[in-house]
């Protein structure tokens, strides 16, 4: 019923407080309220972190892959709950079972598939996958907390 919701940059910045250079997602696709969303990250050699990670073999840091998943989840929570928009922030509180299977490099278009697992009060649990060309590059379960 509300499948295939797409959020562009201007929609994303209304939902989460992240801005350049720390906004890790460019677009949200296939958002299903309170269920799942796919964040899109277009990885460019111009990303600041590539200057030091690693200049001779640039690889997107694993922690930033998880951050991109978390930002996708934050958009999912904020979009699904209109009362939170502009009033609440979703903070990452934990990461479990993260695995990095293949490196993400400049030129990759990364799909960050995030699914809502459960919630209790202001705490949420998610599972996420980073996918490039139908190959799973990283997976993680993570939790977040809603704050003022």
């Amino acid at each position: 019923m509300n499948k295939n919701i797409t959020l562009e940059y201007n929609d994303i910045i209304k939902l989460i407080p992240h801005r350049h250079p720390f906004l890790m997602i460019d677009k949200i696709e296939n958002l299903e309220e309170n269920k799942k969303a796919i964040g899109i990250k277009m990885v460019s050699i111009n990303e600041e972190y590539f200057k030091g990670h690693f200049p001779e073999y640039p690889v997107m840091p694993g922690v930033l892959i998880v951050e991109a998943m978390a930002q996708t989840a934050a958009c999912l929570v904020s979009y699904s709950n209109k009362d939170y928009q502009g009033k609440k922030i979703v903070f990452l509180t934990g990461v479990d079972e993260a695995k990095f299977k293949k490196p993400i490099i400049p030129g990759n278009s990364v799909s960050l598939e995030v699914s809502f697992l459960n919630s209790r009060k202001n705490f949420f649990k998610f599972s996420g996958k980073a996918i490039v060309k139908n190959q799973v590059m990283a997976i993680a379960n993570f939790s977040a907390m809603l704050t003022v």
Side-chain angles (χ1 to χ4, degrees), residues 1-6 30-33 35-36:
M1 85 194 195
N2 62 355
K3 293 179 182 172
N4 296 319
I5 294 169
T6 298
N30 299 329
L31 186 146
E32 290 184 49
E33 290 184 27
K35 290 184 182 173
K36 62 183 179 176

Side-chain angles (χ1 to χ4, degrees), residues 50-62:
F50 285 136
K51 291 178 184 175
H53 196 270
F54 306 100
E56 299 301 316
Y57 184 73
V59 176
M60 185 174 184

Side-chain angles (χ1 to χ4, degrees), residues 19-37:
R19 299 295 181 267
H20 177 80
F22 212 73
L23 181 60
M24 296 289 135
I25 51 177
D26 298 308
K27 186 178 188 177
I28 301 285
E29 297 179 337
N30 299 329
L31 186 146
E32 290 184 49
E33 290 184 27
N34 297 306
K35 290 184 182 173
K36 62 183 179 176

Side-chain angles (χ1 to χ4, degrees), residues 99-143:
K99 291 188 170 71
F100 305 98
K101 299 173 181 263
K102 295 187 177 202
I104 293 174
I105 58 174
N108 285 160
S109 173
V110 185
S111 295
L112 303 145
E113 296 184 3
V114 171
S115 297
F116 174 77
L117 296 176
N118 61 52
S119 69
R120 191 173 356 159
K121 294 189 180 184
N122 289 336
F123 290 91
F124 302 87
K125 286 205 133 223
F126 302 92
S127 67
K129 291 183 205 170
I131 299 170
V132 174
K133 295 180 184 173
N134 296 318
Q135 287 193 311
V136 176
M137 310 302 265
I139 59 171
N141 289 335
F142 54 96
S143 56

